[in-house]
Amino acid sequence: MTARVTPDDAPRAVDGENPLPQDVLAEPLARAILEAGPLAMAVSDPRQPDDPLVWVNTAFTVLTGYTAEEVRGRNCRFLQCDETDPEAVHRLRTALARGDDVQEVLLNVRKDGSPFWNQLAITQLRDADGQVTHRVGVQVDVTAEADGEAARTLELSLMHRTADRLELLARMGEELSRHLEYGDAVDALADLVVPRLATWGFVAMASETGHMERVHVVTADPAHAAVAHALGTQGTTWLTRSPRVAQTLAAGVNHVPMPMPVDVASLPGRTTPTELRLLETLGLGSALLVPLTGRDRVLGVLCLVHREHDGFDREVVVTAAHLGRRAGVLLENVRLYLAERDAALTLQHSLLPVLGDVGGLDVAASYLPSGRRSEVGGDWFDAFVLPDGAVSLAVGDVVGHDLQAAASMGQLRSLLRASVWRGDRPGEALERLDGLVRALDVADVATCVLVRWERTTTGAHLTWASAGHPPALVRLPGGEVHGLDGGRSTPVGLPPVRPGTVPEESADVPHGAFLVLYSDGLVERRDRGLREGIAALSAALASVPDDASATQVCDALTSALVDEHQEDDVCLLVVRVD
């Protein structure tokens, strides 16, 4: 509402259809209403320099603590303080400069220094020509309402912060569990956490002897990524000389991290000129060193650095402490899983044969462990020359993915070898193996396909038996592929459906044919059933050239069917009929 001041003896306070009665507008009565009214009011004159106050009422002096003499001639900005929102002040001044009436809530201070929230409404009074002659400000103390709103805002803020912390912890767990390599997991931790909590920082992991073995520096500012990388390439030497990092590593699992100012004065003695220049570029205000604690020792340090001296509030400290404890356990799990997997792989590879000259045959084999951390299974292959000159070929799979499965695989392979070496045919050998497994409790369940290869003048004569294993495939010259069906029985270790001798089958294959034996990990996965997988393997086998070697066929099949996220071990044995 904009009021107009008229020069006649009967001024109108407000234009409109419902004017105030003339007796109410009489000067003594009007002055009494304004002076004694409950609302704090002040009038300024924008025609004078700096828009000074020219009148205030009693309610204004009660609200602010200033007398009328103390405020007359001063701009009302003396009520503002350092915490007054500059954006709100800017909006107020902009509206008045445009000639608009305006309302804002500002944090002001009384004469005694006590703060209060002031709901300020300013109306601009104009003369007959439309020029602003006075500004009338009405002030209302809304501190109680503002404090309640602030409390609600704080509560919502704390809820959001808690949600953010939980979300960060969840994301960290998911991110670290995705990585199979220890170094990748360390880097992922720094990449995720540092930009969320600090200006820059690093994760440094120590070996069991206390030497730094992995350092990854990250900055929240993409423009400084090259600086962080350069510091990371030199960081191992600098971190070794950092006493605070050493103290954090030695502090123990119950250490409570606290932010501290960066000791800039001591850096020249502990860094090279190049390192110091890089550190200064990233910013050196305050630091927060968080131990990455495993189950019984500190594995490393998460160092967060902020450009400001008071850059870390309590919420960041609490979040970082939670991260340190959880990340340390997760990284320790990664290290333990990898150690177990390496042990299983070492055992498994030690039990697999090294293919040399197998009766002059063109033979190739491939064993690929699963992409899952410690899940090394019991897949195996075998190829060797028998005393009568025939060649024994086998691929098997012990159910399970652990050290026990790998150990059982070695026992089954040895038992099967002994049986075949003594002269048992494929069906007899699998029957004997099944009896030994169930009698000696060597393994739970295993599948196996066993083939006896005998040279003929036209190619080779094959005799085979399969204990619950996917069928071997034969590719004929020209590309036709078919499975070696028949000769099938239940897996080793399970009661047979029809008690008696394990069946076997035989067939002749010509020169130029390929025989392919494989484990189910090559063809079966979550998004592809066994039948579909065998069909895909058959199609890939049909497309190989007739003159390809066994090694070339082996490489082509693994390339076509194995992806980087394979879930099971893959065992493949390829023989070319020369």
Side-chain angles (χ1 to χ4, degrees), residues 223-567:
H224 289 158
V227 178
H229 177 73
L231 182 62
T233 59
Q234 307 179 45
T236 303
T237 303
W238 170 59
L239 290 174
T240 303
R241 297 195 300 266
S242 174
R244 288 179 176 173
V245 171
Q247 291 167 7
T248 304
L249 286 172
V253 296
N254 295 320
H255 174 73
V256 178
M258 293 297 292
M260 63 189 77
V262 176
D263 187 7
V264 178
S266 68
L267 286 177
R270 297 188 290 109
T271 61
T272 66
T274 299
E275 290 170 346
L276 182 58
R277 185 173 64 255
L278 295 173
L279 291 169
E280 290 173 342
T281 301
L282 292 176
L284 297 170
S286 52
L288 180 64
L289 280 85
V290 183
L292 301 175
T293 56
R295 290 165 178 81
D296 56 2
R297 71 183 185 92
V298 177
L299 305 176
V301 175
L302 167 64
C303 179
L304 302 173
V305 184
H306 203 285
R307 185 179 296 275
E308 303 298 331
H309 288 282
D310 55 351
F312 299 108
D313 59 22
R314 180 180 179 277
E315 189 66 27
V316 171
V317 175
V318 172
T319 300
H322 283 297
L323 286 169
R325 286 190 288 270
R326 184 165 183 181
V329 172
L330 290 173
L331 289 174
E332 187 175 44
N333 287 342
V334 173
R335 180 178 280 175
L336 293 174
Y337 286 146
L338 292 176
E340 182 181 347
R341 184 170 183 265
D342 289 343
L345 282 173
T346 300
L347 172 61
Q348 191 163 27
H349 280 294
S350 70
L351 297 174
L352 293 175
V354 177
L355 292 180
D357 181 14
V358 185
L361 298 180
D362 182 9
V363 183
S366 177
Y367 169 75
L368 301 173
S370 73
R372 295 179 290 187
R373 281 185 177 144
S374 62
E375 297 194 359
V376 177
D379 291 30
W380 90 89
F381 66 88
D382 207 353
F384 61 97
V385 181
L386 297 169
D388 61 3
V391 175
S392 177
L393 305 168
V395 166
D397 183 3
V398 176
V399 174
H401 293 89
D402 50 26
L403 284 171
Q404 182 178 351
S408 298
M409 174 270 289
Q411 292 176 304
L412 263 63
R413 175 174 165 267
S414 298
L415 291 172
L416 188 61
R417 266 198 166 202
S419 180
V420 174
W421 185 264
R422 68 188 297 272
D424 288 349
R425 298 183 64 78
E428 297 171 335
L430 290 183
E431 184 178 9
R432 188 180 302 276
L433 180 65
D434 178 68
L436 289 171
V437 165
R438 286 194 281 152
L440 302 178
D441 196 23
V442 175
D444 291 332
V445 177
T447 66
C448 180
V449 59
L450 177 62
V451 179
R452 177 182 171 87
W453 174 293
E454 298 173 274
R455 291 182 183 275
T456 65
T457 57
T458 58
H461 180 74
L462 307 181
T463 305
W464 70 89
S466 174
H469 203 81
L473 300 180
V474 170
R475 180 196 184 276
L476 300 176
E480 182 182 352
V481 176
H482 54 81
L484 296 185
D485 298 319
R488 301 184 63 78
S489 62
T490 56
V492 174
L494 293 180
V497 176
R498 296 187 181 89
T501 303
V502 173
E504 61 182 39
E505 293 286 342
S506 63
D508 292 316
V509 294
H511 292 298
F514 290 95
L515 172 66
V516 176
L517 285 70
Y518 55 94
S519 62
D520 59 359
L522 179 67
V523 294
E524 189 175 26
R525 60 192 189 200
R526 294 187 182 184
D527 62 342
R528 184 176 64 200
L530 183 62
R531 291 180 181 274
E532 294 81 4
I534 294 175
L537 175 60
S538 300
L541 182 58
S543 65
V544 300
D546 285 345
D547 59 351
S549 67
T551 299
Q552 290 172 330
V553 172
C554 190
D555 292 342
L557 296 182
T558 54
S559 176
L561 279 89
V562 178
D563 61 23
E564 60 180 348
H565 302 299
Q566 69 180 70
E567 299 174 349

Side-chain angles (χ1 to χ4, degrees), residues 99-317:
D100 298 336
D101 296 346
V102 64
Q103 180 173 310
E104 283 286 350
V105 177
L106 302 174
L107 182 62
N108 287 164
V109 290
R110 300 180 178 89
K111 182 179 179 180
D112 62 6
S114 60
F116 70 100
W117 287 98
N118 184 5
Q119 181 173 295
L120 173 63
I122 299 178
T123 300
Q124 310 219 55
L125 302 181
R126 302 175 184 274
D127 60 16
D129 297 327
Q131 299 298 314
V132 176
T133 62
H134 294 86
R135 290 170 176 160
V136 178
V138 178
Q139 292 88 14
V140 178
D141 185 353
V142 293
T143 303
E145 293 85 348
D147 286 346
E149 182 64 28
R152 288 189 291 272
T153 302
L154 177 59
E155 182 180 1
L156 290 174
S157 175
L158 292 175
M159 291 175 59
H160 285 304
R161 288 186 177 186
T162 301
D164 289 344
R165 184 200 307 173
L166 295 175
E167 186 268 340
L168 181 57
L169 289 170
R171 281 196 59 194
M172 182 190 66
E174 294 172 0
E175 188 66 23
L176 295 190
S177 65
R178 290 180 54 247
H179 295 280
L180 299 178
E181 298 300 329
Y182 183 69
D184 293 342
V186 172
D187 293 353
L189 171 63
D191 291 338
L192 176 64
V193 172
V194 171
R196 298 276 292 267
L197 302 180
T199 304
W200 66 279
F202 60 83
V203 171
M205 303 305 297
S207 66
E208 293 187 1
T209 60
H211 296 290
M212 293 298 175
E213 61 180 3
R214 186 79 181 185
V215 178
H216 186 54
V217 183
V218 179
T219 175
D221 185 355
H224 289 158
V227 178
H229 177 73
L231 182 62
T233 59
Q234 307 179 45
T236 303
T237 303
W238 170 59
L239 290 174
T240 303
R241 297 195 300 266
S242 174
R244 288 179 176 173
V245 171
Q247 291 167 7
T248 304
L249 286 172
V253 296
N254 295 320
H255 174 73
V256 178
M258 293 297 292
M260 63 189 77
V262 176
D263 187 7
V264 178
S266 68
L267 286 177
R270 297 188 290 109
T271 61
T272 66
T274 299
E275 290 170 346
L276 182 58
R277 185 173 64 255
L278 295 173
L279 291 169
E280 290 173 342
T281 301
L282 292 176
L284 297 170
S286 52
L288 180 64
L289 280 85
V290 183
L292 301 175
T293 56
R295 290 165 178 81
D296 56 2
R297 71 183 185 92
V298 177
L299 305 176
V301 175
L302 167 64
C303 179
L304 302 173
V305 184
H306 203 285
R307 185 179 296 275
E308 303 298 331
H309 288 282
D310 55 351
F312 299 108
D313 59 22
R314 180 180 179 277
E315 189 66 27
V316 171
V317 175

